[in-house]
Amino acid sequence: ALARNLGIRLVVIPIEKAFSSYLETLAEHFQGAKPDVTEENIQARVRGNILFALSNKFGWLVLACSNKSETAVGYTTLYGDMAGGFIPLKDVPKTIAYKLAQYKNQKEGSEVIPACVLTKEPSAELRPDQKDTDTLPPYEVLDPILQAYVEDDLSIDQIVAKGFDHEMVARLARLVDRNEYKRRQAAPGIKITPRN
């Protein structure tokens, strides 16, 4: 519905065969190891490879779909959903992305972006019933903490003094710090905040 509303040609390319081939190739080396985030990331990387194959063939620009919130804490797959030549939402927190979508609908006077897109639980969709809140606080909580830590350069204790849980803030700060290597490999994007 979104593609139709925006006049975008929608193409569906199943990744099942490619994903199965990766698992078969790695089966001997993965023997005895339980499936985990590794298999989830392979799915994202298969999608990235397919998008870049189309880009090479037709000269298209691949747009990476990560936003500032996901990238800050590393909830984006390097060489997977981070793969792209440009990241439109690179410096846009998830809560602002939703507000921009609502603004677009309000400006157009119709549901250009279908309501189901805005009401669906955020998810990487790499395993059944997966939700971002399985491992992250809701974005309404996450984004202010990220703004305080990344943009306002506040310490963990200063953020906790604003009323946030110490353990959660410390964990999120570790995620931000630990995932700098990913952010340094990201494609360029629009800068809209004091510190992206």
Side-chain angles (χ1 to χ4, degrees), residues 35-107:
D36 59 13
V37 71
T38 305
E39 287 77 8
E40 293 177 17
N41 287 340
I42 289 171
Q43 293 174 71
R45 291 179 177 127
V46 167
R47 291 192 305 237
N49 279 322
I50 290 170
L51 289 170
F52 268 96
L54 293 168
S55 171
N56 287 158
K57 186 61 73 179
F58 302 110
W60 299 342
L61 176 65
V62 177
L63 301 178
C65 59
S66 305
N67 59 61
K68 185 174 187 171
S69 307
E70 295 161 347
T71 305
V73 294
Y75 277 56
T76 179
T77 304
L78 196 57
Y79 319 121
D81 45 357
M82 278 185 75
F86 191 74
I87 309 175
L89 298 177
K90 183 174 188 167
D91 196 30
V92 179
K94 186 84 156 190
T95 51
I96 301 296
Y98 279 104
K99 288 178 183 174
L100 287 170
Q102 291 161 348
Y103 171 76
K104 172 70 174 170
N105 285 349
Q106 181 184 7
K107 184 178 174 201

Side-chain angles (χ1 to χ4, degrees), residues 90-131:
K90 183 174 188 167
D91 196 30
V92 179
K94 186 84 156 190
T95 51
I96 301 296
Y98 279 104
K99 288 178 183 174
L100 287 170
Q102 291 161 348
Y103 171 76
K104 172 70 174 170
N105 285 349
Q106 181 184 7
K107 184 178 174 201
E108 298 299 326
S110 66
E111 279 191 4
V112 175
I113 300 169
C116 62
V117 172
L118 302 174
T119 58
K120 182 179 183 237
E121 280 262 7
S123 171
E125 298 182 346
L126 296 171
R127 67 174 182 267
D129 302 319
Q130 183 180 34
K131 299 185 296 288

Side-chain angles (χ1 to χ4, degrees), residues 3-195:
R4 185 173 52 248
N5 292 348
L6 295 176
I8 297 170
R9 181 168 62 106
L10 179 66
V11 178
V12 177
I13 301 176
I15 66 166
E16 211 168 79
K17 284 183 185 175
F19 177 59
S20 295
S21 178
Y22 268 81
L23 295 182
E24 185 180 320
T25 300
L26 293 165
E28 179 184 337
H29 305 285
F30 283 5
Q31 192 171 9
K34 291 181 182 178
D36 59 13
V37 71
T38 305
E39 287 77 8
E40 293 177 17
N41 287 340
I42 289 171
Q43 293 174 71
R45 291 179 177 127
V46 167
R47 291 192 305 237
N49 279 322
I50 290 170
L51 289 170
F52 268 96
L54 293 168
S55 171
N56 287 158
K57 186 61 73 179
F58 302 110
W60 299 342
L61 176 65
V62 177
L63 301 178
C65 59
S66 305
N67 59 61
K68 185 174 187 171
S69 307
E70 295 161 347
T71 305
V73 294
Y75 277 56
T76 179
T77 304
L78 196 57
Y79 319 121
D81 45 357
M82 278 185 75
F86 191 74
I87 309 175
L89 298 177
K90 183 174 188 167
D91 196 30
V92 179
K94 186 84 156 190
T95 51
I96 301 296
Y98 279 104
K99 288 178 183 174
L100 287 170
Q102 291 161 348
Y103 171 76
K104 172 70 174 170
N105 285 349
Q106 181 184 7
K107 184 178 174 201
E108 298 299 326
S110 66
E111 279 191 4
V112 175
I113 300 169
C116 62
V117 172
L118 302 174
T119 58
K120 182 179 183 237
E121 280 262 7
S123 171
E125 298 182 346
L126 296 171
R127 67 174 182 267
D129 302 319
Q130 183 180 34
K131 299 185 296 288
D132 291 1
T133 53
D134 293 342
T135 50
L136 288 176
Y139 286 100
E140 296 77 18
V141 174
L142 176 66
D143 283 351
I145 293 171
L146 293 176
Q147 179 177 338
Y149 190 66
V150 175
E151 294 172 37
D152 302 338
D153 209 20
L154 298 183
S155 70
I156 292 170
D157 289 338
Q158 289 171 314
I159 299 169
V160 170
K162 290 178 168 278
F164 296 104
D165 175 72
H166 186 277
E167 186 178 325
M168 177 176 53
V169 173
R171 179 177 161 269
L172 293 174
R174 281 192 306 274
L175 286 174
V176 170
D177 294 347
R178 189 174 73 202
N179 285 286
E180 178 62 20
Y181 79 99
K182 283 186 181 182
R183 291 188 295 276
R184 290 194 179 255
Q185 297 180 65
I190 300 165
K191 184 178 186 311
I192 65 166
T193 66
R195 185 179 292 167

